[in-house]
Amino acid sequence: QVQLAESGGGSVQAGGSLRLSCVRSGNDGLKMCMGWFRQVPGHQREGVARICPNDIKYYYDSMEDRFTISEDRGRNTVFLQMNSLKPEDSGTYFCVGDWRGGDTFRWWGQGTQVTVSS
């Protein structure tokens, strides 16, 4: 069983930045691809980015323009740096782990809320 604990969400004005963190536990050192999804009100849940043990990163759509995923494997932590935030980025951000192909991840965190005001 793997647990994912997100933190770093909050409220910010448009143009601001936030850094989300996700601590992974319970995997006994097993390497896995990690990532972030988000649920924006009125939209389907969508992928943001993923990072794999070989350091290959993938960004969904145009997310790379303002978002950066990174990982500290020594601390089993994955980060999402979000810059130039827009009100439409508001929503719940989920940490995910153990990529199974496509948009499928085995493990999901509880989510952290991001609110961007105009």
Side-chain angles (χ1 to χ4, degrees):
Q1 190 77 10
V2 171
Q3 293 82 41
L4 303 175
E6 303 100 332
S7 62
S11 298
V12 65
Q13 288 192 328
S17 299
L18 283 174
R19 189 193 195 203
L20 306 184
S21 300
C22 171
V23 178
R24 180 177 79 246
S25 61
N27 63 310
D28 295 327
L30 181 67
K31 296 180 179 180
M32 64 177 67
C33 295
M34 302 292 296
W36 292 91
F37 271 66
R38 70 181 185 181
Q39 180 74 62
V40 175
H43 293 80
Q44 287 188 331
R45 190 166 55 189
E46 61 180 344
V48 177
R50 70 172 180 261
I51 184 169
C52 291
N54 53 9
D55 270 337
I56 291 180
K57 302 175 184 180
Y58 174 81
Y59 293 89
Y60 289 77
D61 298 328
S62 60
M63 299 291 182
E64 189 174 11
D65 293 347
R66 298 179 292 119
F67 296 173
T68 302
I69 191 169
S70 61
E71 189 172 16
D72 182 341
R73 295 194 179 92
R75 292 192 291 161
N76 287 338
T77 303
V78 64
F79 304 97
L80 185 67
Q81 178 68 41
M82 305 187 294
N83 299 325
S84 302
L85 284 163
K86 305 175 182 179
E88 52 264 42
D89 294 318
S90 297
T92 304
Y93 284 70
F94 299 90
C95 178
V96 293
D98 196 6
W99 180 47
R100 298 300 180 94
D103 291 344
T104 302
F105 284 82
R106 183 178 181 186
W107 307 109
W108 288 72
Q110 294 295 313
T112 185
Q113 185 66 34
V114 170
T115 302
V116 184
S117 58
S118 57

